[in-house]
Amino acid sequence: MRLSSILFGSAAALVVAGSAIAADLPSRKAAPVEYVRVCTQFGEGFFYIPGSDTCLKVSGRVRADYIFAEPFERATNATTFRGRGYLALDSFSATDWGPVRATTRVFVTKDTGSAYSTTLDWAYIQFAGITAGRIATSFFEFAPFGGVSYLGGDGNGRGSDYGSINTLAYTITAGNFSATLALEDGTERRVGLQNFNAAFGAASTPTFGGQGMPDLVGRLDYTDTWGQLALSGAIHQSRVGNGNVAGSVNLTPAATILDTTYGFAVQAGVKINLPMLAPGDALFLQAAYADGANSYTGWNSVAVGTLAPDSWDVVYDATGSAKTSKSWSITGGRQDFWTPTIRQGVYAAYGALDQYGPLYDTAAFSVGSNIIWSPVKNLDIGAEVVYSKLTQTPRNLLPLAAGNSEDSWTGRLRFERDF
């Protein structure tokens, strides 16, 4: 008993002494830990950047394509491969003026027989109705149609489906209506110039001058539960910089073309939702017409097989007068969800290009379909086939050969994963 008392007393003394010593030492508090907080007000996947009030979303995509294109010469690959990786950043900050958005996406591509390429898909800021930077698609385009086809604007005669472009735009939204006025980079919309002035030199081609004004693009949208209606228009400038014959320096004014021509384009598009068939089913229709602005109707680059007609916005006749080319296209498509994980797109298009001079009138037709299986969320496995036909008919201004046509088949197998 005495020994126990001695041991207990000694332990108590040590505890009291230790507490006294600890009280004399300086106290140290652990630094507060700032955990990543989920931000739900701007959509799924956003989180607050630690130490700020900015919400950020990091996302990406991996795409693998296996492509067949009917070859027309032995040097052409019938089968090609494509690997592409995307990385995107999207940010929002709430302000008294409304949310400020800054977003960007880049992708790297490796195709069969080509080097790696890096592309800025988009990089823009949105604030108080202003959009500034490089956007995913021109405000002229009817964007919903692009979801029907894997190939987008790669098919011939499919109408306007232009990719990303630099812009400065202002959008007003009132209920179901929105209106946009945009200045877009017209140099990216240039197609070509051609000359048929004998004094100028039949084989010479005028070159573009510097951009005097950007393309002016306007758009009206109406969106409701039944679908969407969009009307758009554009004014495009073609400015000759040097019309001299190649190799010549001092030519008479009569042999020099220094001209500025203005073209225009208009487009209408409609999307009709078909929920009575299945959720997500929709019908798409669009039509575009251009005068001196072929890029806006999809006629900036058209080729089928060995037929690859030149497309020029402006052609100069024998007197040196500017003649603008006319082009149009009409497109229709439908998307059906056969099951929640299987969907199909079917589409067809027709378009024509009419140019002045001893050239061919050109018409293009295409029809295609795809079927896509999504076994899990954000994973698509699909296949698509497209038939295209290009026809050229002489205008009989010169004794040209009889009109001819050519067609081709293209197919694509795609694996795509978003994250």
Side-chain angles (χ1 to χ4, degrees):
M1 289 293 293
R2 186 176 180 182
L3 178 60
S4 298
S5 299
I6 293 172
L7 291 175
F8 180 78
S10 300
L14 289 172
V15 170
V16 172
S19 300
I21 294 171
D24 292 337
L25 295 176
S27 63
R28 223 182 227 185
K29 293 184 179 179
V33 177
E34 185 169 2
Y35 296 97
V36 174
R37 294 178 296 143
V38 175
C39 176
T40 59
Q41 66 185 110
F42 299 112
E44 184 180 352
F46 284 89
F47 61 90
Y48 283 100
I49 298 175
S52 77
D53 60 354
T54 298
C55 296
L56 178 67
K57 180 178 181 178
V58 180
S59 61
R61 170 182 292 173
V62 175
R63 175 182 292 175
D65 283 340
Y66 306 91
I67 305 165
F68 169 82
E70 183 179 354
F72 289 83
E73 56 184 4
R74 194 170 182 83
T76 301
N77 292 320
T79 59
T80 55
F81 295 77
R82 166 172 289 179
R84 178 175 285 177
Y86 298 76
L87 179 62
L89 299 174
D90 199 4
S91 69
F92 285 89
S93 297
T95 73
D96 294 338
W97 293 73
V100 178
R101 183 186 188 189
T103 179
T104 185
R105 186 169 82 169
V106 297
F107 61 83
V108 180
T109 305
K110 181 63 175 72
D111 290 333
T112 295
S114 66
Y116 289 94
S117 63
T118 302
T119 303
L120 178 64
D121 207 8
W122 67 69
Y124 60 89
I125 298 168
Q126 288 182 318
F127 172 65
I130 298 172
T131 300
R134 189 166 189 85
I135 56 177
T137 184
S138 166
F139 279 103
F140 181 87
E141 310 304 337
F142 185 52
F145 181 74
V148 179
S149 166
Y150 271 169
L151 298 178
D154 295 345
N156 300 289
R158 189 163 304 154
S160 183
D161 189 18
Y162 198 80
S164 60
I165 195 168
N166 292 323
T167 190
L168 174 60
Y170 182 72
T171 301
I172 298 175
T173 302
N176 296 339
F177 290 92
S178 67
T180 300
L181 185 63
L183 301 176
E184 298 189 350
D185 191 346
T187 64
E188 298 190 38
R189 289 285 196 171
R190 289 175 172 177
V191 174
L193 304 171
Q194 185 55 278
N195 167 66
F196 289 98
N197 181 350
F200 181 72
S204 64
T205 301
T207 59
F208 283 105
Q211 180 171 253
M213 60 165 278
D215 282 12
L216 181 63
V217 176
R219 180 186 180 99
L220 293 173
D221 275 274
Y222 178 80
T223 305
D224 207 339
T225 55
W226 61 265
Q228 178 185 0
L229 174 64
L231 302 174
S232 56
I235 298 175
H236 174 71
Q237 181 192 70
S238 292
R239 185 166 177 262
V240 179
N242 180 6
N244 292 340
V245 179
S248 299
V249 184
N250 298 314
L251 297 178
T252 62
T256 303
I257 297 176
L258 296 174
D259 194 13
T260 300
T261 306
Y262 295 90
F264 71 90
V266 292
Q267 179 167 257
V270 62
K271 174 188 176 184
I272 302 175
N273 295 324
L274 304 172
M276 70 290 295
L277 302 179
D281 282 20
L283 176 68
F284 304 84
L285 299 169
Q286 73 180 67
Y289 175 82
D291 186 338
N294 293 333
S295 170
Y296 287 94
T297 56
W299 282 96
N300 51 312
S301 177
V302 177
V304 174
T306 59
L307 293 181
D310 292 317
S311 177
W312 301 305
D313 284 337
V314 183
V315 176
Y316 296 93
D317 65 13
T319 66
S321 299
K323 304 294 183 181
T324 54
S325 300
K326 280 74 173 174
S327 59
W328 60 270
S329 59
I330 185 169
T331 308
R334 178 168 161 173
Q335 182 169 265
D336 291 283
F337 282 79
W338 300 115
T339 72
T341 61
I342 298 176
R343 67 185 187 272
Q344 182 180 16
V346 179
Y347 49 88
Y350 184 82
L353 172 65
D354 181 13
Q355 301 188 110
Y356 173 85
L359 309 172
Y360 289 98
D361 285 341
T362 308
F365 168 76
S366 65
V367 61
S369 180
N370 59 51
I371 189 161
I372 304 167
W373 177 43
S374 303
V376 297
K377 183 180 179 180
N378 296 328
L379 174 64
D380 288 345
I381 302 174
E384 182 173 61
V385 61
V386 180
Y387 171 78
S388 300
K389 185 179 181 67
L390 191 66
T391 303
Q392 295 180 312
T393 305
R395 299 192 52 147
N396 297 321
L397 297 179
L398 291 176
L400 300 176
N404 53 68
S405 64
E406 201 154 351
D407 54 11
S408 71
W409 290 90
T410 303
R412 182 174 304 211
L413 174 66
R414 171 172 291 176
F415 294 79
E416 184 172 278
R417 168 68 170 171
D418 291 326
F419 58 88

